[in-house]
């Protein structure tokens, strides 16, 4: 039985499955742009990549939307990703995110769609220092 | 000596200190809208609230920008927050975030500025299930 505790923590790609273009019908939900992008990403991703569907990333004006997250790394949110053509770009970006120790992909290496489509980034969540806890 | 391990994990308010309005000069950096909001928030926050300055949350078109984050909760990013008037609203929102077990503030309780200003939200990062690790 493998010792999983020694493995590097893998990243997660969150995919907003409720994302839809303005001219798309609400139903069926499985036909929405976000749901279709999730299916395409899941089909194209390797076994080690964790693709997780999310009911709304709150970036409704910039479909489709995904997020890269991993323990100890910056979290990134990207939008403006067309469902038909974005899976391979997202997976290439995810590989670069995995390779970056802090999750910050060097600008020159970043795919154009991820440069233009960045919505937000959030630092890695670290526990409050014990000195601050004691001072409270 | 207190046992800090039994305490609930406190939230962090990240404040983008590089945020500036389009008509603001680049220098001095301490005069930028984001830097001024950070100073105001730090002055008004209670001792238990962790306010952390960040060099760019990548929401440059919607200053000022903050993020609420805590272990096991959804992370939220908010923008369009004027530096002069937003500290008390942000701190009220932060109290509601602390009170919400998953970090999702009930819509009716959410301050208007946080309804309008939401930029993105990201689910809590959970470790990959062991079954998926074993199947790889």
């Amino acid at each position: 039985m493998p010792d999983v505790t020694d493995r590097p923590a893998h990243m997660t790609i969150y995919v907003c499955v409720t994302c839809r273009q303005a001219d798309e019908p609400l139903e069926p939900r499985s036909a929405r742009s976000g749901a279709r992008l999730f299916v395409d990403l899941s089909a194209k991703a390797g076994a080690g990549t964790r693709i997780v569907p999310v009911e709304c990333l709150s970036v409704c004006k910039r479909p489709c939307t995904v997020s890269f997250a991993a323990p100890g790394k910056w979290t990134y949110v990207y939008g403006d990703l067309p469902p038909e053509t974005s899976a391979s770009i997202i997976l290439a970006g995810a590989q670069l995110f995995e390779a970056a120790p802090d999750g910050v992909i060097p600008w020159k290496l970043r795919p154009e769609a991820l440069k233009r489509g960045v919505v937000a980034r959030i630092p890695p969540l670290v526990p409050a220092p014990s000195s601050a806890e004691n001072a409270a």
Side-chain angles (χ1 to χ4, degrees), chain A:
Chain A
M1 190 168 168
D3 179 7
V4 297
T5 58
D6 285 335
R7 294 187 190 181
H10 285 305
M11 71 176 289
T12 297
I13 304 176
Y14 292 111
V15 185
C16 180
V17 292
T18 44
C19 264
R20 64 185 181 92
Q21 306 292 333
D23 59 352
E24 274 181 2
L26 287 164
E27 304 286 348
R29 290 167 77 94
S30 61
R32 290 188 184 200
S33 287
R36 288 184 283 125
L37 176 60
F38 172 70
V39 168
D40 196 26
L41 270 173
S42 301
K44 288 177 175 153
T49 306
R50 192 163 171 256
I51 317 274
V52 174
V54 180
E55 299 268 332
C56 196
L57 290 168
S58 288
V59 196
C60 308
K61 290 182 182 165
R62 299 178 64 181
C64 292
T65 310
V66 303
S67 175
F68 293 170
K73 296 193 180 188
W74 286 74
T75 295
Y76 276 81
V77 182
Y78 299 107
D80 305 327
L81 298 164
E84 295 78 11
T85 55
S86 298
S88 59
I89 296 165
I90 293 166
L91 292 170
Q95 279 197 319
L96 295 166
F97 180 86
E98 283 267 37
D102 57 1
V104 180
I105 304 169
W107 187 253
K108 284 187 180 175
L109 297 180
R110 223 172 282 191
E112 272 303 313
L114 302 189
K115 284 183 182 171
R116 286 194 311 271
V118 68
V119 171
R121 64 176 202 158
I122 305 106
L125 193 58
V126 290
S130 58
S131 57
E133 289 282 341
N134 294 340

